[in-house]
Amino acid sequence: MRAARLIKMVLLLQARPSMTAAELARELEVSERTVARDVLSLSEAGVPVYADRGRAGGYRLIAGYRTRLTGLGRSEAEALFLSGVPTALREMGLADAASAARLKVSAALRPELRDAASGAAQRFHLDAPAWYQEPETPELLPAIADAVWDDRRITARYLRKDTEVARELEPYGLVLKAGVWYLAARVDGDYRVYRVDRFTAVAAYEGAGAAGATGATGASDGRFSRDEAFDLPAFWAERAAQFARSILREEVVLRLSARGVRRLPYVTERAAAREAIARAQAADGPDEQGRLTVTLAVESVEVAYAQLLSLGPEGEILAPGELRARMAAAARRTAAQYA
């Protein structure tokens, strides 16, 4: 731990002309007294670090000094490719590895290029969670992430509705979707998706090494042989599309104003709304009043009621009759409330 901190201090000083004790303490998450002790240890080890006193003072390296401790470790290199998703790194326990990797890359750059990382960070940022949600880190995410990185089988307990089931999994990859973590895993030769926050227990697989319950061969240490043809982004895109189609089991017919056409993709499932609008425009198009009649796939009448109510007068439900009656009743109650 201390050795890693000393290396990080050297890389910080190499990347910047000078740093105060307070700045180093903040970066290293230690006290200024610890910084002073670490500087002394570096000096005794032959690293030419010295302190400038005064208001503009701070710690610095002798001009021209370059450390050779810039080779990336495996975890640092892997974390570097995820550095655009800081929340994900932190939740998987990789924030320190990513920080060290970025410092090593900065230290290896020419002086005139060292501001590239901070320049990019100040111009582009990915905020993964959805609006109006306070994301919660699943307690077992770091353990699952370790197994994913290491291609190691796990035994897990998982909540399926109100029932807890046991599974032996080959964890292939993690996906962060709108602030929710999902695990893509192979089970009995088939690939499935699990919500990480529904796992109640995770442990390293302790079965025999030749053939586990998943049917794939693996080493005696519990590792499995990854299918190199597996493509996580492609797999997720296909499953996400299947899921979106599977939950849209009912249809609603509605007549939309021009403004309603523009708003529909923002109040219901976006792909379904755009498909419905495109079909209607290609078929009959708007009527003489400029209104477009669309047939929209929805999850249920209850969900459609909650979503389409926000269209107000920009959308008129034509079918099913049950939903039209509910909308009419809501409109009467609203009119009476504001009368």
Side-chain angles (χ1 to χ4, degrees), residues 100-158:
R102 287 193 293 269
L103 279 171
K104 289 182 177 182
V105 170
S106 296
L109 292 174
R110 298 193 305 274
E112 63 269 22
L113 297 178
R114 286 181 192 157
D115 64 344
S118 60
Q122 294 305 318
R123 288 167 173 80
F124 302 99
H125 175 68
L126 175 61
D127 185 9
W131 287 105
Y132 313 119
Q133 293 183 7
E134 187 65 32
E136 294 184 4
T137 303
E139 182 180 351
L140 298 174
L141 177 61
I144 294 172
D146 285 344
V148 169
W149 283 121
D150 209 24
D151 293 339
R152 192 180 298 274
R153 287 195 191 95
I154 57 174
T155 57
R157 300 196 68 81
Y158 183 82

Side-chain angles (χ1 to χ4, degrees), residues 59-70:
Y59 293 105
R60 66 181 69 218
L61 293 170
I62 289 178
Y65 176 80
R66 305 286 295 176
T67 178
R68 296 183 180 180
L69 299 173
T70 53

Side-chain angles (χ1 to χ4, degrees), residues 318-339:
L318 303 180
E322 171 195 354
L323 181 57
R324 182 179 174 86
R326 289 189 65 179
M327 289 291 192
R332 287 192 294 270
R333 290 198 306 272
T334 301
Q337 183 172 332
Y338 285 97

Side-chain angles (χ1 to χ4, degrees), residues 19 100 136 163 213-214 228 283 308:
M19 293 185 70
E136 294 184 4
T163 305
T214 55
E228 297 301 328
L308 300 177

Side-chain angles (χ1 to χ4, degrees), residues 33-320:
R33 180 172 296 181
T34 299
V35 168
R37 286 198 299 265
D38 286 351
V39 168
L40 181 59
S41 297
L42 288 173
S43 296
E44 292 174 349
V47 177
V49 57
Y50 66 96
D52 275 340
R53 300 189 180 281
R55 295 183 60 185
Y59 293 105
R60 66 181 69 218
L61 293 170
I62 289 178
Y65 176 80
R66 305 286 295 176
T67 178
R68 296 183 180 180
L69 299 173
T70 53
L72 293 180
R74 180 175 180 85
S75 64
E76 294 168 348
E78 291 169 334
L80 188 61
F81 287 101
L82 292 171
S83 59
V85 195
T87 303
L89 283 168
R90 185 169 57 253
E91 292 180 354
M92 289 191 292
L94 293 171
D96 288 343
S99 175
R102 287 193 293 269
L103 279 171
K104 289 182 177 182
V105 170
S106 296
L109 292 174
R110 298 193 305 274
E112 63 269 22
L113 297 178
R114 286 181 192 157
D115 64 344
S118 60
Q122 294 305 318
R123 288 167 173 80
F124 302 99
H125 175 68
L126 175 61
D127 185 9
W131 287 105
Y132 313 119
Q133 293 183 7
E134 187 65 32
E136 294 184 4
T137 303
E139 182 180 351
L140 298 174
L141 177 61
I144 294 172
D146 285 344
V148 169
W149 283 121
D150 209 24
D151 293 339
R152 192 180 298 274
R153 287 195 191 95
I154 57 174
T155 57
R157 300 196 68 81
Y158 183 82
L159 285 177
R160 174 174 290 175
K161 295 184 179 179
D162 297 327
T163 305
E164 189 177 66
V165 297
R167 290 288 183 267
E168 293 176 359
L169 307 173
E170 293 177 351
Y172 263 64
L174 285 163
V175 175
L176 179 60
K177 170 71 172 178
V180 179
W181 285 97
Y182 297 88
L183 172 68
R186 185 164 62 180
V187 186
D188 298 324
D190 186 28
Y191 295 102
R192 302 178 188 175
V193 175
Y194 299 87
R195 275 187 62 143
V196 174
D197 58 6
R198 292 181 184 168
F199 284 100
T200 59
V202 172
Y205 176 72
E206 297 180 355
T214 55
T217 59
S220 58
D221 61 359
R223 288 185 173 87
F224 61 90
S225 299
R226 175 177 286 267
D227 180 2
E228 297 301 328
F230 179 79
D231 184 333
L232 180 60
F235 168 78
W236 178 258
E238 179 184 351
R239 288 303 173 92
Q242 288 176 358
F243 174 76
R245 289 193 298 269
S246 70
I247 65 172
L248 302 178
R249 302 185 183 93
E250 300 188 36
E251 288 186 342
V252 169
V253 181
L254 66 157
R255 188 158 47 215
L256 301 166
S257 67
R259 188 179 180 190
V261 170
R262 292 193 299 271
R263 290 188 57 196
L264 186 65
Y266 298 97
V267 301
T268 187
E269 207 283 319
R270 186 166 298 183
R274 288 176 173 167
E275 289 175 10
I277 292 168
R279 284 196 305 268
Q281 290 174 333
D284 301 323
D287 61 17
E288 59 275 8
Q289 277 109 27
R291 297 176 301 176
L292 186 70
T293 300
V294 304
T295 300
L296 175 70
V298 296
E299 183 175 347
S300 66
V301 169
E302 189 67 35
V303 171
Y305 172 75
Q307 293 175 336
L308 300 177
L309 194 63
S310 64
L311 288 176
E314 309 302 333
E316 177 190 358
I317 303 297
L318 303 180

